[in-house]
Amino acid sequence: MSTKKDKFNQKDYYFMNLAINLANNRNGLTGLNPSVGCVIVKNNKILSFGQTGFNGIPHAEFEAIKKCNKKDLKGSSIYITMEPCTHYGKTPPCTNLIIQSKIKRVIYSTNDVDERTANKAYSLLKSKKISTSKGLLAIETKKIYKNYFYHKNVRKPFIVAKIACSNDYYISSKNKFITNKYSRKVSHLLRYNFDSILVTSKTANSDNSKLSCRINGLESYSPRRLIIDKNLKIDIKSPIINDDRKKNTIIFHHSSNKKKIKHLKLKGVKLIYIDLDLYNNINLKKIFSKAYNMGIGSVLVEGGKILTKSLLEDKLINEFYLFKSKQNLRKLGKNNISNLIKKITYFLKKTEDVETFLDGDEIKRYY
């Protein structure tokens, strides 16, 4: 709600909220670039809108502006969730396009952290006699760009781990599933929001999973599959080696098994050789460094107890989701994670309950 001291009016809030919805809608699908939403308005009517393209291009401003004719753009206002870029990258600067279009007013929510653009758009646009304001609904947009701000500043992916367990903290039983169908739907929605999903070959072999997003309409947005497989023990009959997404699979290994390397490469699977750490394990930090250099900005880890523990000890996990069933497995349960949860609460101090309908199950977020 605007106030007398507020430089924005109620319609500004309305149009920026629309831009935020557009950014949210594509968040997690734009590679290393931020998901930006953009709305162009004239005489309180929406002329057009745009979103950052899949994998990061084209930019939202370009998408919105190209839908309008020059006559309509003159004297219009543009609402953008993030500071428009001022630098040449894969595309020309969006500020150039805004200036050329004779847009009268620019309102953006939060500054970019890319050093090529950060805090430069405001003065540039002002120098061209364009009314420019920033900071509208900045708290809301900063939530969208949490992952982007992190990986842009530290140059490694934002890493989130998740585990599902029973009420008494077992993660394995004779039954395939511990949590219910609603929890599994939320789990697949998480996959949709990440660039990639990471597991070990042991998990991939035992679960025989496709590691895909299995929500109607979102299947094509399944994340890249990253497999940690020190000695290339991945089952050659595994779905992730043989399905139609096998070329979207990357295996990090430390093997000299030429026969298996050749077989996997012929399948179209990408193999990356990784050095070992001091404990003779695959170097996790090098995996994420390689992943970032390949354009991966966020990783969802579904690797189980041992991998999660290693990531925590290396201080690589930014957030953790615990999916907890209402059932107690008792003697039927295997692989208890009570001690792991204690370790998680040590490294990730804050917690919150995720509010959604799960019919008895619950989700807790640690961060």
Side-chain angles (χ1 to χ4, degrees), residues 155-157 284-294:
R155 302 192 66 78
K156 67 179 182 181
L284 296 172
K285 291 181 179 179
K286 289 191 175 181
I287 285 178
F288 293 121
S289 177
K290 291 279 188 181
Y292 183 77
N293 290 335
M294 295 170 66

Side-chain angles (χ1 to χ4, degrees), residues 228-244:
I228 299 176
D229 190 5
K230 177 182 172 181
N231 297 313
L232 285 182
K233 292 184 177 181
I234 190 75
D235 186 348
I236 59 173
K237 295 181 181 179
S238 170
I240 60 176
I241 302 301
N242 295 284
D243 66 13
D244 57 3

Side-chain angles (χ1 to χ4, degrees), residues 108-126:
Y108 62 90
S109 181
T110 190
N111 284 325
D112 198 349
V113 293
D114 188 326
E115 61 184 16
R116 297 171 297 177
T117 282
N119 299 300
K120 296 176 183 175
Y122 185 86
S123 56
L124 172 63
L125 294 169
K126 281 279 193 180

Side-chain angles (χ1 to χ4, degrees), residues 273-308:
Y273 186 87
I274 297 289
D275 294 330
L276 301 182
D277 61 20
L278 295 175
Y279 304 100
N280 207 35
N281 296 317
I282 286 277
N283 191 309
L284 296 172
K285 291 181 179 179
K286 289 191 175 181
I287 285 178
F288 293 121
S289 177
K290 291 279 188 181
Y292 183 77
N293 290 335
M294 295 170 66
I296 293 173
S298 60
V299 178
L300 178 65
V301 180
E302 294 188 4
K305 182 177 177 179
I306 296 174
L307 178 58
T308 302

Side-chain angles (χ1 to χ4, degrees), residues 123-142:
S123 56
L124 172 63
L125 294 169
K126 281 279 193 180
S127 73
K128 301 298 180 180
K129 311 300 181 186
I130 297 172
S131 174
T132 308
S133 303
K134 59 182 177 178
L136 178 58
L137 295 175
I139 292 175
E140 286 78 3
T141 51
K142 284 177 180 177

Side-chain angles (χ1 to χ4, degrees), residues 5-265:
K5 294 182 179 180
D6 199 337
K7 60 185 175 183
F8 304 110
N9 60 48
Q10 288 184 336
K11 289 179 179 177
D12 290 334
Y13 280 82
Y14 174 77
F15 293 125
M16 185 59 80
N17 265 313
L18 293 180
I20 287 171
N21 287 339
L22 290 167
N24 256 324
N25 180 259
R26 198 157 285 177
N27 200 18
L29 303 173
T30 57
L32 293 182
N33 280 355
S35 175
V36 175
C38 173
V39 177
I40 299 178
V41 177
K42 190 173 183 180
N43 299 325
N44 293 320
K45 293 183 178 180
I46 295 174
L47 297 182
S48 69
F49 61 87
Q51 298 166 282
T52 305
F54 296 108
N55 298 317
I57 52 175
H59 290 187
E61 299 93 322
F62 175 86
E63 278 291 289
I65 289 172
K66 78 172 186 179
K67 297 175 185 176
C68 303
N69 61 54
K70 291 182 179 179
K71 183 180 177 181
D72 288 336
L73 282 170
K74 187 176 180 180
S76 65
S77 298
I78 187 168
Y79 295 82
I80 318 166
T81 54
M82 180 174 282
E83 176 180 16
C85 63
T86 60
H87 66 277
Y88 283 87
K90 293 181 180 179
T91 62
C94 289
T95 45
N96 285 10
L97 196 57
I98 290 169
I99 293 165
Q100 293 163 8
S101 301
K102 300 190 183 301
I103 289 171
K104 182 180 180 180
R105 186 175 179 228
V106 176
I107 306 95
Y108 62 90
S109 181
T110 190
N111 284 325
D112 198 349
V113 293
D114 188 326
E115 61 184 16
R116 297 171 297 177
T117 282
N119 299 300
K120 296 176 183 175
Y122 185 86
S123 56
L124 172 63
L125 294 169
K126 281 279 193 180
S127 73
K128 301 298 180 180
K129 311 300 181 186
I130 297 172
S131 174
T132 308
S133 303
K134 59 182 177 178
L136 178 58
L137 295 175
I139 292 175
E140 286 78 3
T141 51
K142 284 177 180 177
K143 291 177 183 177
I144 299 173
Y145 300 123
K146 173 184 61 179
N147 294 12
Y148 169 73
F149 288 158
Y150 177 83
H151 75 66
K152 201 71 181 175
N153 283 322
V154 304
R155 302 192 66 78
K156 67 179 182 181
F158 190 89
I159 301 168
V160 175
K162 64 168 282 286
I163 288 180
C165 70
S166 64
N167 189 53
D168 48 356
Y169 296 102
Y170 289 102
I171 61 174
S172 303
S173 73
K174 291 181 180 180
N175 295 327
K176 183 176 181 182
F177 300 115
I178 292 176
T179 52
N180 65 28
K181 62 181 180 180
Y182 301 105
S183 289
R184 294 196 294 276
K185 288 288 186 182
V186 174
S187 179
H188 283 283
L189 193 59
L190 266 180
R191 289 180 177 182
Y192 162 76
N193 284 318
F194 284 80
D195 291 347
S196 59
I197 180 170
L198 174 72
V199 300
T200 62
S201 58
K202 182 179 178 180
T203 296
N205 289 340
S206 62
D207 292 351
N208 204 33
S209 173
K210 293 183 178 181
L211 301 177
S212 58
C213 174
R214 294 192 292 280
I215 294 178
N216 290 339
L218 300 181
E219 297 91 345
S220 60
Y221 301 108
S222 294
R224 269 190 275 192
R225 303 178 294 201
L226 311 181
I227 316 297
I228 299 176
D229 190 5
K230 177 182 172 181
N231 297 313
L232 285 182
K233 292 184 177 181
I234 190 75
D235 186 348
I236 59 173
K237 295 181 181 179
S238 170
I240 60 176
I241 302 301
N242 295 284
D243 66 13
D244 57 3
R245 294 181 55 241
K246 56 183 177 285
K247 292 184 179 179
N248 215 20
T249 300
I250 304 167
I251 296 179
F252 299 95
H253 73 99
H254 189 83
S255 172
S256 56
N257 186 336
K258 293 181 180 179
K259 183 178 179 181
K260 197 157 190 180
I261 289 171
K262 181 179 179 180
H263 176 83
L264 292 168
K265 285 184 175 180

